[in-house]
């Protein structure tokens, strides 16, 4: 007998639901909360519901992406930290001076652990949250009872352990599913990047090229973030891989995405010049159409990965043929004034052809060469000495982590003082609000502060309405579970809604054992007080205004671009190999570019006085990203020529001279010393390289000379933008 099959529409809906990154997370939370609620309801012990729920929530907040072995190790560490924190709060709760001292020291130490890596930071933050949950539970039951000192911590840790067990089992059953989602996101973001890149080739006059380039730089940040996230996910699972090739498939897809990113971000000529030269011809339209179709192919690959469908990439074949036909037609006219631009377009066409081949290979990544360097850079700490060194490195007021640790400690101490000063009902929500709102940067704090207040008001209104309309305890219990699940489903992208859901859950839970209506006004006032304290702390205690560090981050982009250029020229001299050193240099250059874009976004949220350099910074971002585009084109064409002959030394010297100039410019920018702009020198170097390109018959070497000339000319606008940044104090 054939097993019954789901209707096609329902099957497709379930498959699409499974592809949502928050679905699995929310489902785990639903299982944990639902089972805890059922247990308490069945046993008639609803008084145990709140600590169990709070433990589950804290454990879910502490969850980090990992293999099941890594998740089990993290869970054991988390449970140990939770136990110590809960017992410490119980013991010190009735001794205010000991309590506030422990609160300040533990907050500072746990926040500083974020210097080690993200896993430590997540567990430390969740431990701090659980400590405050313990305070809320103690206040709810009316104080500490020495005879039942262990009771509340045990329930909190049991709730945390229950979610942790579900999480470990889930990781063991579906260990590769998060990687699939992450890799799919990379290709989706690459698709958007290619669409934006295609817009640059529109054969139009008087378009806002600067605005388009800025949008491209901002999208590059999203691509880099997605690549970094995928790399970390793959690396964590490789640590515990004992065999098999299924994980290698995703590793190769990651490398394909890296190569596509390098080729997609390549520029072979200024787009304004191309539009002016070929305004009356269709070659740019053909290029735009090809890039657009390759962007669609990246999105189709993303969807194929998510839905486990075969990926058929054939739609751009005709677009490639049309582009080459248009190029051949223009080349056949043999117009001297077009020669340089046509060479650039021919190099671009070759680059896009290879990009197309890489896209096609994604349907069977296992078929790629086995002799490639598949190693990944390990950023995790190795032993306690490494942990101590990383923390010690950040024990300085110049470190953003140190500043945040100090601000958060002071915030909680002040919140605790205000709590005892005005003696509010349910006052420990002040501390919880401060922990969630206080962020390392002013812009993030301002955003979360606003969303927290809005979400709390929305949640209180919804909670009041629902517990009034549905006074039945069972219905309220179900609402609490649904609201808890919705919190985790929305907290990453819609924090206002997430805050509303968690507020609704709290009201429904508290209404099971007391008067939920009595929590409404205290929760609102405590949220306002906690948010105000956190906002003032970020503004007054070692404020980390991003605008003051803009010149340093700009200098970092130049340093990393210089290192990327050196790795590229090494590959030209010794032969192409996608080894770890090259991939790391390329990744660092893109990371620095993405960090600059992120910083500028944060500056736009700071007070007006600190935004004075933002226009200069945006100009610098466009120029530095253009430089990175030219470097990417050099990297994309590695292996097409070899600089091993004596007469090639001059080219290598030119490249080394550019790298040295970038480092010198970066050093002066970081120190804000006067920058001397010698446009004549770099224009002469560019002209010399153009002259050499005109005499060279080998296409690949001519491309190298042309790209170096473009890079030389790009030093002038970069120097001017750097001079303006360095001159602002």
């Amino acid at each position: 007998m054939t097993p019954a099959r789901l209707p096609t529409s329902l099957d497709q809906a379930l498959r699409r639901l499974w592809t949502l990154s928050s679905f699995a997370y929310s489902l785990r939370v639903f299982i944990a909360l639902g089972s805890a609620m059922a247990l308490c309801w069945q046993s008639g012990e609803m008084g145990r519901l709140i600590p169990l729920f709070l433990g589950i929530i804290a454990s879910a907040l502490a969850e980090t992406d990992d293999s099941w072995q890594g998740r089990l190790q993290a869970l054991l560490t988390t449970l140990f930290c939770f136990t110590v924190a809960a017992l410490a709060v119980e013991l010190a709760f009735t001794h205010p001076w000991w309590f506030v001292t422990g609160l300040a020291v533990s907050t500072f130490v746990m926040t500083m652990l974020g210097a080690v890596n993200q896993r430590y930071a997540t567990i430390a933050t969740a431990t701090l949250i659980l400590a405050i949950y313990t305070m809320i539970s103690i206040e709810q039951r009316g104080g500490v009872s020495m005879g039942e000192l262990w009771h509340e911590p045990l329930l909190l840790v049991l709730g945390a352990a229950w979610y942790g067990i579900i999480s470990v089992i889930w990781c063991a059953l579906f260990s590769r599913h998060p990687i699939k989602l992450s890799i799919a996101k990379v290709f989706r973001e690459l698709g958007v990047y290619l669409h934006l890149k295609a817009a640059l080739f529109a054969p139009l006059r008087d378009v806002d090229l600067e605005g388009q380039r800025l949008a491209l730089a901002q999208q590059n940040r999203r691509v880099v973030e997605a690549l970094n996230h995928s790399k970390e996910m793959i690396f964590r699972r490789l640590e515990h891989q004992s065999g098999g090739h299924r994980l290698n498939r995703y590793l190769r897809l990651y490398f394909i995405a890296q190569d596509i990113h390098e080729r997609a971000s390549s520029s072979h000529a200024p787009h304004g010049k191309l539009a002016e030269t070929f305004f009356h011809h269709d070659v740019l339209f053909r290029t735009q159409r090809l890039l657009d179709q390759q962007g669609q192919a990246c999105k189709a690959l993303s969807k194929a990965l998510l839905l486990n469908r075969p990926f058929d990439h054939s739609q751009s074949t005709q677009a490639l043929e049309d582009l080459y036909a248009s190029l051949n037609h223009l080349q056949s006219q043999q117009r001297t004034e077009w020669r340089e631009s046509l060479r650039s377009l021919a190099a671009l066409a070759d680059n896009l052809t290879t990009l197309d081949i890489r896209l096609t290979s994604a349907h069977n990544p296992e078929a790629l060469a086995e002799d490639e360097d598949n190693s990944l850079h390990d950023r995790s700490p190795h032993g306690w000495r490494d942990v101590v060194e990383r923390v010690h490195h950040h024990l300085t007021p110049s470190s953003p982590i140190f500043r945040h640790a100090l601000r958060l400690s002071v915030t909680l101490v002040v919140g605790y003082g205000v709590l005892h000063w005005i003696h509010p009902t349910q006052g420990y929500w002040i501390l919880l609000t401060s922990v969630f709102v206080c962020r390392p940067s002013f812009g993030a704090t301002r955003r979360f502060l606003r969303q927290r207040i809005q979400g709390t008001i929305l949640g209180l209104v919804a909670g009041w309405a629902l517990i009034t309309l549905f006074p039945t305890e069972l219905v309220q219990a179900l609402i609490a579970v649904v609201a808890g699940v919705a919190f985790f489903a929305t907290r990453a992208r819609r924090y206002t809604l997430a805050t509303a859901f968690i507020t609704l859950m709290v009201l429904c839970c508290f209404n099971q054992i007391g008067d939920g209506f009595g929590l409404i006004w205290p929760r609102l006032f405590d949220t306002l007080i906690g948010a105000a304290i956190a906002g003032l702390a970020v503004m007054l205690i070692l404020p980390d205004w991003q605008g003051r560090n803009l010149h340093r981050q700009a200098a970092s982009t130049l340093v990393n671009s210089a290192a990327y250029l050196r790795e590229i020229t090494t590959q030209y001299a010794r032969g192409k190999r996608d080894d770890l050193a090259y991939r790391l240099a390329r990744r660092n250059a893109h990371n620095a570019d993405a960090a600059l874009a992120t910083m500028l976004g944060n500056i736009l949220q700071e007070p007006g006085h600190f935004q004075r350099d933002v226009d200069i910074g945006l100009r610098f971002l466009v120029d530095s990203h253009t430089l990175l585009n030219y470097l990417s084109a050099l990297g994309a064409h590695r292996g097409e020529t070899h600089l091993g002959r004596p007469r090639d030394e001059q080219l290598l010297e030119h490249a080394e001279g550019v790298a040295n100039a970038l480092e010198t410019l970066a050093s002066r920018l970081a120190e804000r010393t006067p920058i001397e702009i010698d446009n004549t020198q770099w224009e002469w170097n560019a002209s010399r390289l153009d002259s050499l390109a005109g005499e060279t018959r080998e296409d690949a070497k001519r491309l190298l000379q042309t790209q170096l000339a473009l890079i030389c000319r790009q030093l002038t606008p970069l120097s001017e933008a750097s001079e303006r940044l360095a001159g602002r104090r």
Side-chain angles (χ1 to χ4, degrees):
M1 180 185 266
T2 19
R5 300 189 63 177
L6 291 171
T8 306
S9 58
L10 179 59
D11 180 61
Q12 296 229 347
L14 290 175
R15 281 177 176 268
R16 292 186 183 281
L17 195 62
W18 184 243
T19 64
L20 298 176
S21 58
S22 60
F23 176 72
Y25 192 24
S26 304
L27 185 56
R28 292 194 297 272
V29 173
F30 173 73
I31 294 170
L33 293 178
S35 55
M37 176 67 77
L39 178 65
C40 291
W41 184 270
Q42 185 69 28
S43 62
E45 295 285 350
M46 293 304 287
R48 298 178 179 178
L49 182 67
I50 291 177
L52 283 174
F53 264 35
L54 294 178
I56 290 169
I57 290 170
S59 184
L61 291 173
E63 186 180 51
T64 55
D65 176 77
D66 218 321
S67 63
W68 73 266
Q69 299 98 322
R71 177 62 187 137
L72 180 60
Q73 293 171 5
L75 174 62
L76 295 175
T77 304
T78 301
L79 293 179
F80 173 77
C81 293
F82 281 9
T83 304
V84 172
L87 286 173
V89 170
E90 290 273 352
L91 290 169
F93 192 81
T94 55
H95 305 282
W97 288 108
W98 283 107
F99 188 90
V100 74
T101 302
L103 180 65
V105 172
S106 60
T107 299
F108 183 83
V109 171
M110 285 190 288
T111 309
M112 285 302 301
L113 285 175
V116 180
N117 63 16
Q118 188 56 44
R119 181 186 296 174
Y120 281 78
T122 303
I123 293 174
T125 302
T127 302
L128 186 58
I129 291 169
L130 182 116
I132 300 175
Y133 283 165
T134 308
M135 302 173 203
I136 292 170
S137 294
I138 293 172
E139 188 181 41
Q140 177 65 24
R141 70 174 189 262
V144 176
S145 172
M146 296 306 293
E148 297 183 351
L149 186 68
W150 54 271
H151 186 259
E152 203 78 12
L154 178 62
L155 289 173
L156 285 164
V157 173
L158 279 176
W162 174 228
Y163 178 81
I165 291 168
I166 294 171
S167 176
V168 171
I169 295 172
W170 192 281
C171 286
L173 293 175
F174 307 106
S175 62
R176 293 176 180 83
H177 183 65
I179 304 179
K180 183 193 297 184
L181 296 181
S182 182
I183 292 290
K185 182 179 180 181
V186 170
F187 282 103
R188 188 164 62 249
E189 297 294 349
L190 279 171
V192 177
Y193 187 90
L194 283 164
H195 285 312
L196 290 173
K197 189 66 178 284
L200 287 173
F201 287 90
L204 302 170
R205 292 191 178 117
D206 300 324
V207 294
D208 183 13
L209 276 177
E210 298 301 314
Q212 290 178 334
R213 285 189 173 280
L214 186 58
L216 201 63
Q218 294 289 357
Q219 179 58 28
N220 185 64
R221 171 181 61 83
R222 298 182 188 95
V223 174
V224 170
E225 288 173 353
L227 281 167
N228 288 342
H229 184 58
S230 293
K231 180 261 177 186
E232 292 301 324
M233 295 181 81
I234 294 170
F235 182 80
R236 291 189 197 112
R237 285 159 178 78
L238 282 173
E239 285 181 305
H240 302 284
Q241 180 177 274
S242 56
H245 299 284
R246 291 185 65 187
L247 190 58
N248 291 337
R249 178 173 186 266
Y250 295 108
L251 181 62
R252 293 181 185 280
L253 281 170
Y254 168 74
F255 289 141
I256 289 172
Q258 275 195 323
D259 191 37
I260 290 174
H261 181 220
E262 183 173 54
R263 295 183 180 280
S265 60
S266 298
S267 286
H268 297 76
H271 296 93
K273 180 181 178 182
L274 291 176
E276 187 65 34
T277 304
F278 300 111
F279 182 78
H280 297 289
H281 303 274
D282 69 347
V283 67
L284 294 185
F285 167 75
R286 302 295 180 189
T287 306
Q288 182 186 20
R289 181 168 174 266
L290 175 58
L291 279 165
D292 196 63
Q293 290 200 347
Q294 289 176 336
Q296 292 178 21
C298 282
K299 291 181 179 179
L301 174 57
S302 172
K303 190 175 291 186
L305 284 170
L306 291 174
L307 300 176
N308 289 324
R309 292 175 179 171
F311 170 62
D312 179 24
H313 171 47
S314 56
Q315 63 264 43
S316 60
T317 304
Q318 187 60 49
L320 263 173
E321 292 177 2
D322 292 344
L323 175 58
Y324 277 109
S326 183
L327 273 172
N328 292 335
H329 173 71
L330 292 174
Q331 287 168 345
S332 67
Q333 298 183 37
Q334 297 184 349
R335 293 177 60 170
T336 309
E337 66 272 22
W338 290 354
R339 185 182 303 162
E340 183 182 339
S341 296
L342 282 175
R343 286 171 176 170
S344 297
L345 280 177
L348 171 61
D350 291 342
N351 180 48
L352 295 182
T353 302
T354 309
L355 190 156
D356 214 60
I357 293 170
R358 296 296 279 169
L359 261 176
T360 304
S361 69
H363 83 281
N364 185 23
E366 292 90 345
L368 296 175
E370 290 284 347
D371 58 349
E372 293 289 339
D373 180 3
N374 292 334
S375 56
L376 296 172
H377 182 55
D378 185 5
R379 298 180 185 271
S380 57
H382 301 282
W384 284 105
R385 177 177 294 181
D386 197 7
V387 170
V388 172
E389 285 179 358
R390 292 189 184 195
V391 174
H392 183 265
H393 177 71
H394 284 274
L395 283 174
T396 168
S398 62
S399 165
I401 296 176
F402 178 88
R403 290 168 178 246
H404 179 55
L406 184 62
R407 280 197 297 268
L408 189 56
S409 300
V410 173
T411 298
L412 293 186
V413 169
V414 171
Y416 186 74
V418 169
L419 184 153
H420 279 269
W421 175 42
I422 62 177
H423 294 287
T425 307
Q426 301 290 344
Y428 287 92
W429 295 105
I430 294 173
L431 304 186
L432 189 66
T433 298
S434 295
V435 167
F436 279 110
V437 167
C438 188
R439 301 284 166 151
S441 70
F442 175 84
T445 301
R446 177 180 171 180
R447 184 173 66 254
F448 277 93
L449 187 151
R450 183 183 68 253
Q451 293 175 346
R452 185 82 182 179
I453 293 173
Q454 291 172 346
T456 299
I457 294 172
L458 180 61
L460 291 174
V461 172
W464 170 81
L466 288 173
I467 61 180
T468 301
L469 289 171
F470 304 102
T472 311
E473 290 185 353
L474 178 59
V475 175
Q476 291 179 16
L478 294 175
I479 292 173
V481 172
V482 171
V485 173
F487 166 72
F488 285 96
T490 56
R491 76 184 188 94
R493 294 187 178 182
R494 294 179 173 86
Y495 190 70
T496 300
L497 273 180
T499 303
F501 284 127
I502 200 67
T503 302
L504 175 59
M505 189 203 81
V506 167
L507 282 180
C508 290
C509 285
F510 273 75
N511 206 50
Q512 298 289 309
I513 58 173
D515 180 17
F517 292 99
L519 184 64
I520 292 177
W521 288 110
R523 178 70 191 260
L524 176 59
F525 290 136
D526 292 349
T527 297
L528 294 174
I529 293 170
I533 294 171
L536 288 172
V538 171
M539 290 183 66
L540 301 176
I541 303 171
L542 293 178
D544 197 16
W545 304 116
Q546 301 286 288
R548 293 176 177 174
N549 298 315
L550 182 57
H551 64 290
R552 295 191 185 93
Q553 185 55 51
S556 176
T557 63
L558 298 179
V559 169
N560 284 285
S561 291
Y564 184 25
L565 176 58
R566 286 200 173 95
E567 280 297 327
I568 291 171
T569 52
T570 299
Q571 298 261 319
Y572 273 94
R574 299 179 184 174
K576 177 183 178 180
R577 181 172 173 77
D578 283 327
D579 55 10
L580 180 60
Y582 177 79
R583 286 187 279 110
L584 187 59
R586 177 176 62 191
R587 185 164 174 249
N588 287 340
H590 280 282
N591 279 344
D593 184 77
L596 180 60
T598 301
M599 177 176 279
L600 286 165
N602 288 332
I603 293 172
L604 287 170
Q605 298 182 57
E606 293 182 348
H609 172 70
F610 297 101
Q611 294 184 25
R612 59 177 185 166
D613 290 346
V614 73
D615 290 336
I616 306 171
L618 291 171
R619 174 69 258 177
F620 184 95
L621 175 63
V622 170
D623 291 333
S624 65
H625 190 70
T626 302
L627 172 68
L628 186 56
N629 294 157
Y630 293 150
L631 291 173
S632 295
L634 273 181
H637 291 278
R638 289 170 299 131
E640 296 178 9
T641 188
H642 181 63
L643 302 179
R645 289 166 289 188
R647 61 174 176 269
D648 295 330
E649 288 296 323
Q650 189 177 10
L651 269 180
L652 294 174
E653 287 174 5
H654 274 295
E656 182 62 25
V658 171
N660 289 335
L662 287 171
E663 288 179 338
T664 301
L665 187 59
S667 173
R668 292 178 178 174
L669 179 55
E671 296 170 4
R672 285 193 159 174
T673 53
I675 296 174
E676 298 175 3
I677 304 174
D678 188 2
N679 296 342
T680 309
Q681 175 64 35
W682 291 114
E683 183 57 40
W684 184 88
N685 287 346
S687 299
R688 175 61 181 153
L689 286 164
D690 285 336
S691 176
L692 289 173
E695 300 168 4
T696 303
R697 294 185 177 181
E698 185 184 341
D699 289 341
K701 188 168 292 183
R702 187 190 302 118
L703 171 67
L704 174 58
Q705 293 161 339
T706 302
Q707 289 299 125
L708 283 175
L710 289 171
I711 292 170
C712 285
R713 290 192 172 95
Q714 192 61 25
L715 287 175
T716 298
L718 270 174
S719 299
E720 292 171 351
S722 299
E723 183 185 36
R724 293 176 67 192
L725 268 181
R728 304 295 292 268
R729 297 185 184 273

